[in-house]
């Protein structure tokens, strides 16, 4: 993969890169020619297992936007997760609500770099993979990370989210 030196990241990704650097993250944001809009596309582009893709999914719960960092190998069981998390029903956010809550568009939502910190869950299944990839603000940017780093970066709660 080509290094990013000398290239300019899209504005949304530059903001994510800034937040990551400030947090001491050494993994660099990469812009890929191929789409990384979905976990399957990202896994294909990166040559990794789909389960090692950390999707940043936005839901509304108790009128509040929340973030669920989910392994690409499964879907969120929203009923079970709301009960485990001790929150009201989780509804998937609309594209407009995602943009409002994160400043980013669906397909590029990152775990960080949002206008305000969102209550966050980190999927226990992500702990099965030594190296993870997450979106970095656009559908063509990603960064390498780890389970522990995601927990630290987001201040998230560790919970199983899958079925
Ligand atoms: N870039 C990849 C990870 S590297 C990514 O963003 N994956 S994702 O899963 O977080 O983003 C796609 C997700 O956006 C889908 O899983 C789905 O939950 C959500 N999504 C797609 N279309 C819509 C829609 N119309 N409304 C709400 N959410 C949607």
């Amino acid at each position: 993969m080509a290094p990013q030196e000398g290239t300019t990241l899209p504005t949304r990704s530059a903001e994510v890169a800034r937040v990551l650097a400030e947090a001491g993250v050494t993994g660099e944001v990469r812009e890929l020619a191929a789409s990384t809009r979905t976990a399957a596309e990202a896994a294909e582009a990166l040559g990794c297992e789909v389960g090692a893709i950390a999707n940043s999914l936005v839901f509304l719960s108790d009128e509040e936007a929340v973030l669920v960092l989910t392994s690409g190998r499964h879907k969120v069981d929203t009923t079970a997760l709301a009960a485990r998390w001790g929150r009201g029903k989780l509804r998937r956010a609309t594209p407009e609500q995602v943009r409002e809550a994160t400043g980013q568009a669906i397909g590029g939502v990152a775990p960080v770099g949002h206008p305000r910190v969102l209550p966050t869950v980190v999927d226990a299944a992500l702990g099965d993979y030594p190296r993870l990839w997450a979106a970095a603000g656009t559908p063509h940017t990603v960064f390498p990370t780890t389970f522990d780093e995601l927990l630290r970066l987001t201040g998230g709660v560790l919970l199983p989210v899958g079925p």
Side-chain angles (χ1 to χ4, degrees), residues 36-40 42-43 46 53-59 68 70 92-95 98 105-110 133-136 138-142:
T36 55
R37 179 174 296 278
T38 65
L46 293 161
I53 302 295
N55 288 322
S56 303
L57 305 179
V58 181
F59 293 87
V68 182
T70 308
R92 182 188 284 208
T94 65
V98 170
I106 281 172
V109 176
W133 293 88
T138 75
H140 286 271
T141 54
V142 290

Side-chain angles (χ1 to χ4, degrees), residues 4 14-15 33 35 41 47 57 59 72 79 85 89 93 101 105 107 115 118 121-122 125-127 132 137 140 146 160:
Q4 287 298 305
E15 172 59 11
S35 169
E41 286 179 348
L57 305 179
F59 293 87
T79 307
W85 201 0
K89 202 171 161 121
L118 306 174
V121 160
V122 179
L126 290 169
L132 303 172
H140 286 271
T146 65

Side-chain angles (χ1 to χ4, degrees), residues 54-91:
N55 288 322
S56 303
L57 305 179
V58 181
F59 293 87
L60 292 185
S61 172
D62 304 322
E63 309 304 314
E64 185 181 21
V66 299
L67 193 61
V68 182
L69 303 184
T70 308
S71 165
R73 80 180 188 211
H74 58 202
K75 291 195 165 165
V76 178
D77 180 340
T78 51
T79 307
L81 178 59
R84 285 187 199 117
W85 201 0
R87 299 198 63 110
K89 202 171 161 121
L90 297 170
R91 281 182 294 120

